Amino acid sequence: MAEEIKVTAGGNFIHDIIDEEQKEGGRTFGEKIHTRFPPEPNGYLHIGHVKAMCIDFGTAEKYGGICNLRMDDTNPAKEDEEYVRAIQEDIHWMGFDWEDRFYYASDYFETMYDLAVGLIKKGLAYVCELTPEEMSANRGDLTHPAVSPYRDRPIEESLDLFARMRAGEFPNGAMTLRAKIDLASGNFNMRDPALYRINHAEHHRQGNKWCIYPMYDYAHPIEDMIEQINYSLCSLEFENHRPLYNWVRDNVDLEANNRQIEFARLGINYTVLSKRKLRNLVENGYVRGWDDPRMPTLSGLRRRGYTPHAVRDFIERVGVAKVPNTVEVALLENCLREDLNANADRAMAVLHPVKLTIVNYPEGESETFMTDLNPTVENGGQKAVSFSRNLYIEADDYMDEPVKGYFRMFPGNEVRLKSAYVVRCTGCVRDENGNLTEVLCEYDPASRGGNTADGRKVRGTIHWVDAATAVDAEVRLYNALFLDPDPDAADKDYLACLNPDSLEVLSGCKLEPDVAAAAVGHPYQFMRLGYFCADKDSTPEKPVFNRSVSLKESFKK
Ligand code: ATP
Ligand code: MG
């Protein structure tokens, strides 16, 4: 079993193999490292794909090689140009580039067809007229080989039938082209696997040119050979398919020096990482699109406020190994928190506002305080925050009777208004239903900047926004999309695991005016609350903010 070594530490088991093969006499001695990232354009990329991207592009980068971007679009039914564009955008966002090496596997269909004809001529493939049902009924078991009555039909007959399959003479499922390998193989993938099947479906780029489509296991090694890939890196579920990859490589008439190496897929708890499942969430309205900030897609993470740096940091910390592992979503959140702590502007915002009136502050007057944009950065800059007689504070920063350890607003208590003054709470106003409508206090003019002149201690500090300049905003809080730690498990119905409270929408939140006008995605730390950014739905009239991540680990279901 491969030892787990971090990319940052300079290598991993894949790099060890490459180092070995690049030595004199090795398989790729003197060759440039050439990898590919081969997404199927049937959905948006998710964070699992970043692992593959970091391995494919990252390995090429490390060795001064090149990495192709290839749309693996051999399966006609579910592919779309929208996905192609989104995939390109997401890869660029992650900081990877394919330059002019952008390919579609479907452009190789003609070559793949010719190579299949070549296999038939060599007696290495035949047309089998078993239907899919009959084929699976005849696949045998560990003690019995598979059976096909068509295996030994004359080459001429297979050539004729294959040409007629292509010409559209037969309905879906009527026959397949199969490799002639070993009906008794212990690896069922080698029991004369299908190479082509009939599918009268329109292809997103080929239109109706084809009604037979190559199977993944046949197509992929050919794609790699055509593009002269020497390291075909993929996830572990292809390990059992490697003998077939090698068989195709070794038997079709193309020059080859490609090798498949598998690595463990990334799994994250409380998450599903499968385009099919994610697509279902989108298409059936369980979320608000592929870029819903609750989604583990790159577009969702980006909209939520994730940075490429945080995502890559996460992938590096997870490391590359051959052992499947499920990583805690808390690790991902921590990577973002660290990044934003260093890079987000600080601001005050009030999510559950109640009015605070400073009864001894002159009516109609105001002043400004300078606050640090980022205290973790030397010379991180400052901004002006306005202050007046009426402010907003968080409703839970007031209590009539303090509970143990509560040092914020309660009658008689002194509290610091962050960066401004020390105030003493004098009471509150409630409506006829007993709801809190206003908190009252007096300020100490000698405490400007936040410290008392006589050095008396003030334990609590709360944030506030000036009511005179505050802008109302919608704030969207995100919790886990799934309640179950492993919704992706084969034996679970991921839809039944959905968290009904994954989205909380707050309205009437109070923002400082410069924050309300921030560019989409610009990161903020709202003091005491977490990290937030303006959503793409945000307008100057109606700002909308996303909570990217809370301040402390508070992963909430
Ligand atoms: P999905 O099940 O989400 O559709 P896929 O494997 O079908 O994933 P592809 O578009 O075929 O998606 O994947 C492109 C590349 O990304 C492949 O090399 C695949 O192995 C890799 N990949 C996909 N999901 C993960 C993951 N969770 N971890 C690591 N690599 C992944
Ligand atoms: Mg796939």
Side-chain angles (χ1 to χ4, degrees):
M1 206 173 274
E3 207 186 11
E4 176 144 346
I5 306 170
K6 302 288 160 66
V7 178
T8 40
N12 56 49
F13 77 95
I14 296 173
H15 297 167
D16 293 344
I17 294 173
I18 294 178
D19 288 340
E20 215 36 59
E21 292 191 334
Q22 287 262 285
K23 286 185 187 155
E24 192 162 352
R27 183 180 64 87
T28 60
F29 173 66
E31 272 186 34
K32 214 183 214 185
I33 301 304
H34 198 169
T35 61
R36 85 288 170 262
F37 176 62
E40 186 180 350
N42 62 345
Y44 282 52
L45 297 182
H46 53 64
I47 191 163
H49 291 111
V50 182
K51 178 170 182 183
M53 235 184 264
C54 287
I55 292 173
D56 296 330
F57 285 100
T59 298
E61 228 163 67
K62 171 175 168 168
Y63 289 92
I66 47 180
C67 178
N68 294 0
L69 173 58
R70 178 199 306 153
M71 295 298 133
D72 209 338
D73 60 347
T74 54
N75 189 351
K78 335 165 262 191
E79 292 156 358
D80 202 307
E81 285 300 323
E82 176 200 342
Y83 299 135
V84 174
R85 279 191 301 277
I87 287 168
Q88 292 181 326
E89 184 185 350
D90 288 344
I91 296 172
H92 275 153
W93 182 64
M94 283 312 309
F96 295 115
D97 190 30
W98 54 90
E99 295 171 15
D100 57 354
R101 289 179 304 278
F102 175 68
Y103 303 102
Y104 286 96
S106 57
D107 287 346
Y108 311 142
F109 278 169
E110 202 66 59
T111 306
M112 290 173 186
Y113 179 84
D114 292 343
L115 293 171
V117 169
L119 287 176
I120 300 172
K121 285 182 178 161
K122 285 195 250 182
L124 292 175
Y126 60 96
V127 170
C128 174
E129 290 170 57
L130 295 178
T131 63
E133 298 74 37
E134 288 166 340
M135 198 139 132
S136 67
N138 282 289
R139 66 199 290 266
D141 55 31
L142 286 176
T143 48
H144 300 88
V147 178
S148 169
Y150 304 98
R151 194 170 205 252
D152 295 317
R153 77 184 336 156
I155 287 173
E156 287 311 318
E157 213 174 283
S158 280
L159 285 172
D160 174 60
L161 285 170
F162 190 49
R164 289 166 60 197
M165 277 169 68
R166 175 180 181 167
E169 287 187 29
F170 309 112
N172 291 357
M175 51 189 76
T176 54
L177 181 73
R178 293 176 74 169
K180 197 169 184 175
I181 307 179
D182 179 5
L183 287 175
S185 175
N187 181 341
F188 280 57
N189 294 314
M190 298 298 271
R191 292 192 171 187
D192 287 13
L195 304 180
Y196 270 89
R197 60 181 173 193
I198 302 172
N199 186 359
H200 291 268
E202 189 170 313
H203 186 275
H204 78 131
R205 299 187 79 241
Q206 300 285 327
N208 291 309
K209 181 169 176 201
W210 295 90
C211 62
I212 55 170
Y213 289 94
M215 304 299 288
Y216 180 92
D217 286 334
Y218 173 68
H220 206 84
I222 294 178
E223 296 157 21
D224 287 342
M225 285 183 275
I226 291 173
E227 295 177 18
Q228 302 189 322
I229 303 302
N230 47 18
Y231 290 94
S232 186
L233 311 173
C234 64
S235 39
L236 213 51
E237 68 271 23
F238 296 106
E239 193 173 31
N240 285 333
H241 298 246
R242 192 184 340 124
L244 181 50
Y245 180 99
N246 292 345
W247 184 92
V248 173
R249 179 194 64 196
D250 297 340
N251 287 292
V252 299
D253 292 322
L254 272 185
E255 279 226 26
N257 188 19
N258 46 327
R259 171 177 177 182
Q260 173 180 302
I261 303 173
E262 309 85 16
F263 54 85
R265 278 175 94 87
L266 172 68
I268 303 181
N269 65 5
Y270 295 99
T271 309
V272 300
L273 291 182
S274 141
K275 276 181 281 163
R276 183 182 61 76
K277 290 176 185 170
L278 295 173
R279 179 176 168 137
N280 195 24
L281 295 178
V282 173
E283 288 179 350
N284 293 301
Y286 294 103
V287 293
R288 302 172 170 183
W290 283 101
D291 67 349
D292 186 303
R294 291 167 290 180
M295 292 279 274
T297 52
L298 291 184
S299 54
L301 292 167
R302 177 162 66 235
R303 185 170 172 192
R304 171 120 168 209
Y306 269 83
T307 60
H309 177 267
V311 175
R312 276 178 76 160
D313 185 28
F314 168 72
I315 296 293
E316 285 190 3
R317 290 195 209 187
V318 169
V320 178
K322 241 189 181 331
V323 196
N325 55 346
T326 299
V327 182
E328 309 241 329
V329 64
L331 177 64
L332 175 63
E333 297 199 333
N334 240 347
C335 290
L336 181 61
R337 224 172 256 129
E338 269 183 30
D339 185 15
L340 295 182
N341 182 45
N343 295 304
D345 288 345
R346 270 52 173 174
M348 292 193 281
V350 176
L351 299 191
H352 299 95
V354 63
K355 203 162 38 149
L356 175 74
T357 301
I358 306 164
V359 295
N360 60 339
Y361 193 89
E363 247 170 282
E365 279 193 24
S366 70
E367 61 190 299
T368 53
F369 290 95
M370 296 309 289
T371 61
D372 287 339
L373 279 176
N374 189 338
T376 71
V377 179
E378 219 179 309
N379 302 320
Q382 290 203 313
K383 71 168 192 168
V385 178
S386 99
F387 181 92
S388 68
R389 178 183 164 91
N390 290 110
L391 310 174
Y392 289 108
I393 60 170
E394 299 287 347
D396 69 0
D397 280 340
Y398 173 82
M399 290 186 94
D400 287 329
E401 307 266 350
V403 294
K404 194 166 176 289
Y406 189 86
F407 302 113
R408 292 168 269 164
M409 289 274 186
F410 57 86
N413 192 43
E414 276 196 316
V415 107
R416 180 180 299 99
L417 296 175
K418 171 80 186 161
S419 304
Y421 289 105
V422 170
V423 297
R424 180 182 303 279
C425 180
T426 57
C428 74
V429 179
R430 291 186 181 272
D431 65 15
E432 61 274 21
N433 300 318
N435 296 318
L436 182 70
T437 56
E438 191 176 354
V439 176
L440 304 172
C441 68
E442 287 173 355
Y443 84 121
D444 170 5
S447 65
R448 193 172 200 283
N451 290 314
T452 53
D454 59 4
R456 61 184 195 282
K457 280 230 157 43
V458 177
R459 294 190 75 164
T461 299
I462 64 172
H463 63 273
W464 50 272
V465 174
D466 185 359
T469 55
V471 178
D472 273 15
E474 175 177 312
V475 174
R476 299 173 183 168
L477 307 180
Y478 303 104
N479 300 312
L481 188 52
F482 295 96
L483 289 171
D484 190 288
D486 191 10
D488 225 353
D491 61 342
K492 292 217 173 109
D493 172 7
Y494 65 104
L495 292 176
C497 303
L498 279 166
N499 179 3
D501 301 317
S502 57
L503 171 65
E504 286 174 51
V505 179
L506 307 178
S507 58
C509 304
K510 305 296 180 183
L511 302 186
E512 297 167 353
D514 60 315
V515 174
V520 170
H522 183 85
Y524 283 100
Q525 183 195 94
F526 291 171
M527 279 177 226
R528 300 174 64 217
L529 298 174
Y531 296 95
F532 294 77
C533 66
D535 187 75
K536 70 172 190 188
D537 290 346
S538 199
T539 63
E541 295 72 41
K542 188 176 180 288
V544 178
F545 275 67
N546 297 315
R547 182 174 65 195
S548 310
V549 67
S550 56
L551 265 194
K552 294 197 198 78
E553 196 165 310
S554 67
F555 180 70
K556 192 174 148 199
K557 286 191 259 170

mmCIF file of all heavy atoms in Angstrom, residues 9 19 28 98 114 116 158 170-171 186 221-222 225 233 276 338 370 444 475 485 529:
data_model
loop_
_atom_site.group_PDB
_atom_site.id
_atom_site.type_symbol
_atom_site.label_atom_id
_atom_site.label_comp_id
_atom_site.label_asym_id
_atom_site.label_seq_id
_atom_site.Cartn_x
_atom_site.Cartn_y
_atom_site.Cartn_z
ATOM 1 N N ALA A 9 5.002 18.296 0.149
ATOM 2 C CA ALA A 9 6.264 17.718 0.608
ATOM 3 C C ALA A 9 7.131 17.333 -0.586
ATOM 4 O O ALA A 9 8.199 16.783 -0.416
ATOM 5 C CB ALA A 9 5.988 16.509 1.491
ATOM 6 N N ASP A 19 9.440 9.400 -11.238
ATOM 7 C CA ASP A 19 10.891 9.569 -11.027
ATOM 8 C C ASP A 19 11.648 8.330 -11.486
ATOM 9 O O ASP A 19 12.685 8.420 -12.148
ATOM 10 C CB ASP A 19 11.188 9.814 -9.534
ATOM 11 C CG ASP A 19 10.741 11.199 -9.085
ATOM 12 O OD1 ASP A 19 10.574 12.084 -9.959
ATOM 13 O OD2 ASP A 19 10.540 11.387 -7.869
ATOM 14 N N THR A 28 9.798 6.237 -19.665
ATOM 15 C CA THR A 28 9.614 7.581 -20.222
ATOM 16 C C THR A 28 10.909 8.390 -20.184
ATOM 17 O O THR A 28 10.879 9.612 -20.203
ATOM 18 C CB THR A 28 8.505 8.362 -19.475
ATOM 19 O OG1 THR A 28 8.880 8.479 -18.090
ATOM 20 C CG2 THR A 28 7.169 7.669 -19.595
ATOM 21 N N TRP A 98 -4.673 24.954 -19.931
ATOM 22 C CA TRP A 98 -4.336 23.927 -20.914
ATOM 23 C C TRP A 98 -3.764 24.562 -22.188
ATOM 24 O O TRP A 98 -3.468 23.861 -23.142
ATOM 25 C CB TRP A 98 -5.588 23.114 -21.243
ATOM 26 C CG TRP A 98 -6.728 23.998 -21.666
ATOM 27 C CD1 TRP A 98 -7.019 24.390 -22.938
ATOM 28 C CD2 TRP A 98 -7.690 24.641 -20.824
ATOM 29 N NE1 TRP A 98 -8.101 25.250 -22.933
ATOM 30 C CE2 TRP A 98 -8.530 25.425 -21.657
ATOM 31 C CE3 TRP A 98 -7.920 24.653 -19.432
ATOM 32 C CZ2 TRP A 98 -9.587 26.197 -21.151
ATOM 33 C CZ3 TRP A 98 -8.969 25.420 -18.947
ATOM 34 C CH2 TRP A 98 -9.784 26.176 -19.788
ATOM 35 N N ASP A 114 -12.134 3.010 -37.111
ATOM 36 C CA ASP A 114 -11.140 2.331 -37.951
ATOM 37 C C ASP A 114 -10.313 1.324 -37.144
ATOM 38 O O ASP A 114 -10.007 0.229 -37.619
ATOM 39 C CB ASP A 114 -10.183 3.351 -38.589
ATOM 40 C CG ASP A 114 -10.892 4.224 -39.623
ATOM 41 O OD1 ASP A 114 -11.997 3.838 -40.075
ATOM 42 O OD2 ASP A 114 -10.344 5.291 -39.968
ATOM 43 N N ALA A 116 -11.266 -0.239 -34.530
ATOM 44 C CA ALA A 116 -12.135 -1.374 -34.191
ATOM 45 C C ALA A 116 -12.201 -2.337 -35.380
ATOM 46 O O ALA A 116 -12.150 -3.565 -35.206
ATOM 47 C CB ALA A 116 -13.530 -0.880 -33.805
ATOM 48 N N SER A 158 -18.409 -10.438 -39.161
ATOM 49 C CA SER A 158 -18.338 -9.355 -38.168
ATOM 50 C C SER A 158 -18.088 -8.016 -38.848
ATOM 51 O O SER A 158 -18.679 -6.998 -38.476
ATOM 52 C CB SER A 158 -17.220 -9.634 -37.158
ATOM 53 O OG SER A 158 -17.662 -10.560 -36.189
ATOM 54 N N PHE A 170 -29.705 -1.463 -37.414
ATOM 55 C CA PHE A 170 -30.229 -2.256 -36.286
ATOM 56 C C PHE A 170 -30.666 -1.347 -35.138
ATOM 57 O O PHE A 170 -30.103 -0.277 -34.932
ATOM 58 C CB PHE A 170 -29.159 -3.219 -35.779
ATOM 59 C CG PHE A 170 -28.534 -4.039 -36.880
ATOM 60 C CD1 PHE A 170 -27.201 -3.834 -37.242
ATOM 61 C CD2 PHE A 170 -29.287 -4.992 -37.565
ATOM 62 C CE1 PHE A 170 -26.630 -4.578 -38.260
ATOM 63 C CE2 PHE A 170 -28.713 -5.740 -38.595
ATOM 64 C CZ PHE A 170 -27.382 -5.526 -38.945
ATOM 65 N N PRO A 171 -31.672 -1.809 -34.398
ATOM 66 C CA PRO A 171 -32.134 -0.994 -33.261
ATOM 67 C C PRO A 171 -31.177 -1.077 -32.065
ATOM 68 O O PRO A 171 -30.324 -1.978 -32.010
ATOM 69 C CB PRO A 171 -33.482 -1.614 -32.907
ATOM 70 C CG PRO A 171 -33.371 -3.045 -33.351
ATOM 71 C CD PRO A 171 -32.469 -3.044 -34.559
ATOM 72 N N GLY A 186 -10.862 -14.162 -14.487
ATOM 73 C CA GLY A 186 -11.313 -13.831 -13.138
ATOM 74 C C GLY A 186 -11.717 -12.373 -13.032
ATOM 75 O O GLY A 186 -12.466 -11.982 -12.136
ATOM 76 N N PRO A 221 -8.201 4.617 -23.615
ATOM 77 C CA PRO A 221 -6.789 4.409 -23.996
ATOM 78 C C PRO A 221 -6.486 4.948 -25.394
ATOM 79 O O PRO A 221 -5.376 5.442 -25.631
ATOM 80 C CB PRO A 221 -6.613 2.888 -23.938
ATOM 81 C CG PRO A 221 -7.977 2.307 -23.788
ATOM 82 C CD PRO A 221 -8.871 3.365 -23.249
ATOM 83 N N ILE A 222 -7.460 4.879 -26.294
ATOM 84 C CA ILE A 222 -7.218 5.405 -27.643
ATOM 85 C C ILE A 222 -7.072 6.926 -27.598
ATOM 86 O O ILE A 222 -6.177 7.504 -28.226
ATOM 87 C CB ILE A 222 -8.349 4.966 -28.601
ATOM 88 C CG1 ILE A 222 -8.302 3.445 -28.764
ATOM 89 C CG2 ILE A 222 -8.231 5.675 -29.947
ATOM 90 C CD1 ILE A 222 -9.400 2.875 -29.638
ATOM 91 N N MET A 225 -3.680 7.616 -26.443
ATOM 92 C CA MET A 225 -2.641 7.346 -27.446
ATOM 93 C C MET A 225 -2.617 8.426 -28.522
ATOM 94 O O MET A 225 -1.551 8.883 -28.917
ATOM 95 C CB MET A 225 -2.865 5.960 -28.073
ATOM 96 C CG MET A 225 -2.463 4.846 -27.128
ATOM 97 S SD MET A 225 -2.624 3.217 -27.886
ATOM 98 C CE MET A 225 -4.323 2.875 -27.598
ATOM 99 N N LEU A 233 -3.699 9.440 -15.467
ATOM 100 C CA LEU A 233 -3.936 9.347 -14.027
ATOM 101 C C LEU A 233 -5.441 9.427 -13.773
ATOM 102 O O LEU A 233 -6.112 10.319 -14.282
ATOM 103 C CB LEU A 233 -3.196 10.490 -13.321
ATOM 104 C CG LEU A 233 -1.722 10.623 -13.770
ATOM 105 C CD1 LEU A 233 -1.064 11.866 -13.178
ATOM 106 C CD2 LEU A 233 -0.944 9.356 -13.392
ATOM 107 N N ARG A 276 -23.875 12.916 -11.205
ATOM 108 C CA ARG A 276 -25.242 12.427 -11.421
ATOM 109 C C ARG A 276 -26.163 12.864 -10.274
ATOM 110 O O ARG A 276 -27.258 13.375 -10.495
ATOM 111 C CB ARG A 276 -25.224 10.901 -11.534
ATOM 112 C CG ARG A 276 -26.566 10.277 -11.828
ATOM 113 C CD ARG A 276 -26.466 8.748 -11.880
ATOM 114 N NE ARG A 276 -26.011 8.165 -10.613
ATOM 115 C CZ ARG A 276 -26.782 8.026 -9.532
ATOM 116 N NH1 ARG A 276 -28.036 8.426 -9.545
ATOM 117 N NH2 ARG A 276 -26.289 7.479 -8.418
ATOM 118 N N GLU A 338 -8.812 30.181 7.479
ATOM 119 C CA GLU A 338 -7.425 30.651 7.562
ATOM 120 C C GLU A 338 -7.119 31.669 6.481
ATOM 121 O O GLU A 338 -6.479 32.688 6.731
ATOM 122 C CB GLU A 338 -6.466 29.472 7.391
ATOM 123 C CG GLU A 338 -6.096 28.841 8.689
ATOM 124 C CD GLU A 338 -5.074 27.723 8.509
ATOM 125 O OE1 GLU A 338 -4.263 27.787 7.567
ATOM 126 O OE2 GLU A 338 -5.114 26.790 9.332
ATOM 127 N N MET A 370 -12.162 55.633 12.975
ATOM 128 C CA MET A 370 -11.360 54.875 12.020
ATOM 129 C C MET A 370 -11.192 53.450 12.570
ATOM 130 O O MET A 370 -10.864 53.249 13.732
ATOM 131 C CB MET A 370 -9.983 55.518 11.837
ATOM 132 C CG MET A 370 -10.035 56.912 11.233
ATOM 133 S SD MET A 370 -11.013 57.015 9.706
ATOM 134 C CE MET A 370 -9.933 56.117 8.584
ATOM 135 N N ASP A 444 -20.182 57.404 27.826
ATOM 136 C CA ASP A 444 -19.174 58.122 28.604
ATOM 137 C C ASP A 444 -18.299 58.870 27.608
ATOM 138 O O ASP A 444 -17.444 58.268 26.951
ATOM 139 C CB ASP A 444 -18.353 57.109 29.416
ATOM 140 C CG ASP A 444 -17.122 57.739 30.070
ATOM 141 O OD1 ASP A 444 -16.960 58.986 29.977
ATOM 142 O OD2 ASP A 444 -16.321 56.980 30.645
ATOM 143 N N VAL A 475 -29.408 38.382 4.183
ATOM 144 C CA VAL A 475 -28.220 37.569 4.438
ATOM 145 C C VAL A 475 -28.627 36.104 4.441
ATOM 146 O O VAL A 475 -29.619 35.723 5.076
ATOM 147 C CB VAL A 475 -27.547 37.955 5.771
ATOM 148 C CG1 VAL A 475 -26.389 37.003 6.087
ATOM 149 C CG2 VAL A 475 -27.029 39.399 5.708
ATOM 150 N N PRO A 485 -23.845 11.868 7.788
ATOM 151 C CA PRO A 485 -22.424 12.080 7.475
ATOM 152 C C PRO A 485 -21.988 11.418 6.176
ATOM 153 O O PRO A 485 -21.002 11.825 5.588
ATOM 154 C CB PRO A 485 -21.678 11.462 8.662
ATOM 155 C CG PRO A 485 -22.695 10.841 9.527
ATOM 156 C CD PRO A 485 -24.067 11.210 9.065
ATOM 157 N N LEU A 529 -19.189 37.448 13.812
ATOM 158 C CA LEU A 529 -20.206 36.650 13.127
ATOM 159 C C LEU A 529 -19.647 35.629 12.146
ATOM 160 O O LEU A 529 -20.183 34.530 12.029
ATOM 161 C CB LEU A 529 -21.173 37.571 12.373
ATOM 162 C CG LEU A 529 -21.963 38.551 13.252
ATOM 163 C CD1 LEU A 529 -22.764 39.496 12.378
ATOM 164 C CD2 LEU A 529 -22.876 37.790 14.206
#
